[in-house]
Amino acid sequence: ELMNSDKKVLLDFWAPWCGPCNLLSPVLEEIAASRADIKVCKVNIDEERDLASQYKVYRIPTMLIMSQGQEEERIIGARPKEELLSLFE
């Protein structure tokens, strides 16, 4: 799904026990609901350890902006909605 998306993908690595991840979750939901040109995907690192390892995710929240399966940008830590959206301009 990630590799074949014709949209830019915001891939969020998170965990349910992570406070900043939980603060970021509503922001990502707003982005997903308001921007049809961005696909938001969430990866629970507790359930997908191999995927987190493959993308070298060592701290959470970590968000990757992907285009055609390739990483374009890496954001570590919670960020405001406006800052995240500015990365897609």
Side-chain angles (χ1 to χ4, degrees):
E1 183 178 355
L2 174 66
M3 300 302 231
N4 297 322
S5 178
D6 58 342
K7 302 177 184 181
K8 291 229 180 181
V9 176
L10 177 58
L11 185 59
D12 174 39
F13 289 88
W14 71 287
W17 46 263
C18 168
C21 299
N22 291 321
L23 292 174
L24 184 62
S25 186
V27 172
L28 297 178
E29 289 173 14
E30 286 178 31
I31 291 172
S34 66
R35 293 285 302 266
D37 60 321
I38 302 171
K39 181 169 188 63
V40 177
C41 300
K42 296 178 68 74
V43 177
N44 182 332
I45 64 162
D46 290 337
E47 297 172 357
E48 300 289 342
R49 292 179 191 271
D50 291 341
L51 193 58
S53 179
Q54 175 185 340
Y55 283 100
K56 296 177 176 52
V57 173
Y58 303 116
R59 298 185 319 191
I60 55 173
T62 292
M63 292 161 284
L64 306 180
I65 297 176
M66 310 287 288
S67 179
Q68 298 176 337
Q70 300 298 314
E71 181 180 334
E72 287 189 346
E73 185 99 25
R74 180 176 292 244
I75 306 102
I76 298 173
R79 298 288 195 281
K81 179 180 174 182
E82 295 75 24
E83 184 178 336
L84 292 174
L85 288 175
S86 72
L87 300 169
F88 289 91
E89 295 174 356

